[in-house]
Amino acid sequence: PDIIDDHFYRSAQEFFDDVHHYDKTDRDGPQVLDGEWATREGSPTTNMGAALGDAAWMTGMERNSDIIVLASYAPLFVNVNPGGMQWPSDLIGYDALNSYGSPSYYAQAMFSTHLGDHVLDAKLDATNPRLFDSVTLDSKHHRVIVKLVNGSSLPQAVNINLSGAKVHSNAHVTTLGAPTTEATNSITDPTRIVPVVSTISNAATTFTHTVPRYSIQILDLDLN
């Protein structure tokens, strides 16, 4: 076949364990559609733990985007009224008057709006098995985009070395995080967990950045 259709419904830990699933896939074989996939944690919509599992898996998909041509999260919508749910865990909750995005929704939004056009050959040298990364280059805007996922309960200091690049010292950082993996959004508290944009002033060719616990971060590093 030209494209195979993979389906994955897993826990966050299962996605953490299999994040390198496509790294050694035969490049001469068929391309891949992840036609149905999601971290099944939280109900009726996903919680922060699920968002971390989703983001870890997306780093693997992004690193292997030469063969993964399409991906489709499922299920997408859930009626949060009693008896309205068919499948847990869902991306967007709604009732007759309101709707909200789950933490996984915001993880998807962050990845989709910070896209490079070249995957860079990056190596993550870390002892923490719950730290994940993907690094791309946005050649149009002369920007390196570093995605970091910390699924552990402790902050993680990351030494970033962009060999051969000249980097502006000021950089934007988009963070989605929560104090616990069970934390979530709801119809009555729809924006408890949303992305927050901040700036750092110590970006350089080589610098240290600390990723908060239970968080997804995207660093937009502009090049000189």
Side-chain angles (χ1 to χ4, degrees):
D2 294 324
I3 300 176
I4 59 172
D5 182 8
D6 282 348
H7 292 189
F8 299 98
Y9 291 111
R10 294 175 167 176
S11 69
Q13 186 60 55
E14 288 171 328
F15 274 129
F16 293 161
D17 293 339
D18 198 30
V19 74
H20 297 288
H21 183 93
Y22 293 108
D23 288 0
K24 297 182 179 180
T25 299
D26 183 2
R27 264 48 187 176
D28 294 325
Q31 293 179 306
V32 177
L33 156 66
D34 275 357
E36 294 183 26
W37 75 275
T39 304
R40 286 280 178 87
E41 293 185 13
S43 180
T45 52
T46 60
N47 56 27
M48 188 63 205
L52 293 167
D54 291 342
W57 185 248
M58 284 191 287
T59 64
M61 288 198 290
E62 187 168 85
R63 284 197 313 275
N64 292 282
S65 53
D66 58 320
I67 58 167
I68 302 175
V69 293
L70 295 164
S72 176
Y73 187 100
L76 187 61
F77 294 109
V78 60
N79 185 328
V80 300
N81 287 309
M85 183 177 65
Q86 183 178 14
W87 304 101
S89 306
D90 301 83
L91 200 65
I92 297 169
Y94 71 92
D95 62 13
L97 297 176
N98 303 287
S99 64
Y100 69 96
S102 66
S104 290
Y105 166 83
Y106 289 109
Q108 294 274 338
M110 288 168 64
F111 270 68
S112 69
T113 54
H114 294 79
L115 287 176
D117 47 28
H118 295 281
V119 178
L120 298 183
D121 184 14
K123 179 184 178 182
L124 181 62
D125 186 10
T127 57
N128 181 355
R130 291 192 170 194
L131 187 64
F132 311 95
D133 78 313
S134 176
V135 183
T136 59
L137 173 68
D138 180 349
S139 60
K140 180 179 179 180
H141 297 98
H142 305 288
R143 179 178 298 152
V144 172
I145 303 169
V146 180
K147 296 181 173 75
L148 297 167
V149 181
N150 181 10
S152 73
S153 60
L154 297 173
Q156 298 296 312
V158 179
N159 296 318
I160 297 174
N161 183 3
L162 301 173
S163 178
K166 295 182 179 179
V167 181
H168 283 288
S169 58
N170 293 323
H172 288 98
V173 180
T174 306
T175 304
L176 184 74
T180 68
T181 55
E182 291 78 19
T184 192
N185 297 333
S186 67
I187 206 77
T188 56
D189 193 1
T191 57
R192 182 182 180 189
I193 300 171
V194 295
V196 176
V197 179
S198 60
T199 60
I200 57 174
S201 58
N202 67 322
T205 301
T206 302
F207 68 103
T208 300
H209 176 76
T210 298
V211 187
R213 68 174 186 164
Y214 301 140
S215 71
I216 304 160
Q217 283 199 324
I218 300 179
L219 282 64
D220 292 318
L221 304 175
D222 291 326
L223 303 177
N224 291 318

